[in-house]
Amino acid sequence: MPSRAPDPTHSAQSEPARSDLLRTLTDAVLADPAADHTLPAMAATAAVSPRHLTRLFQAELHTTPARWVERVRLDRAQQLLLDGHGVTTAARLSGLGSDETLRRAFARRLGTTPTEYRNRFATTTSDPGT
C-alpha cells in the first residue's frame, strides 16, 4: 500500500475557537509553538484561571489545553521534518524540546518515529515520479 501524506483535517488548526479570547490565544500558539504555552502561562495571558481556560478548551475545541498545544507542536515538527530539518532541530523549533519528547509524541499520536515519518513522506512529496 503506498504511503500517503498526512490528512490536514486532523491538525490542531482544523477546528477554530469560537470565542475571541480563545481564538486570540490559539493564534498566539500557532504563531510560535515553541514559546511558553503551559496552562498557567496561557491562563495568565488570557487573564482567566487555569480551570476556566480548561473549560473553554473543552467546550470549544473538545480537548485539553495541553493536548491541543502538543498537537500544534507535533504539526509544526512534522512540517519541519518534511522541510529537511533534522530531528533535534524539529524538536527544538516546534517546542517539543528534546528528541525523546518528539519521539514519544510521534509514537503516541502517529504510531511511527520522526525519522520513519520523514523518510516515508519526504520521499513521496519530493519524488513525484514514483
Side-chain angles (χ1 to χ4, degrees), residues 1 4 20 34 38 40 44 50 55 57 82 84 102 105 107 116 118:
M1 174 185 268
R4 295 185 329 207
D20 288 341
T38 59
R55 284 190 209 120
F57 266 86
L82 294 178
L102 180 62
E116 289 170 350
R118 181 182 55 218

Side-chain angles (χ1 to χ4, degrees), residues 33-113:
D36 179 10
H37 298 301
T38 59
L39 180 59
M42 290 191 303
T45 298
V48 297
S49 71
R51 183 174 166 95
H52 183 66
L53 184 60
T54 300
R55 284 190 209 120
L56 285 172
F57 266 86
Q58 285 292 346
E60 294 189 32
L61 301 175
H62 313 292
T63 190
T64 66
R67 285 187 185 127
W68 190 86
V69 169
E70 181 182 65
R71 183 70 240 176
V72 169
R73 289 175 172 170
L74 189 58
D75 289 349
R76 179 66 56 93
Q78 287 174 268
Q79 190 57 56
L80 289 165
L81 289 169
L82 294 178
D83 289 345
H85 292 277
V87 173
T88 301
T89 302
R92 183 176 45 80
L93 294 177
S94 68
L96 288 167
S98 70
D99 294 9
E100 181 62 19
T101 304
L102 180 62
R103 187 191 65 72
R104 288 180 184 174
F106 264 75
R108 184 173 48 254
R109 302 271 182 172
L110 303 173
T112 190
T113 67

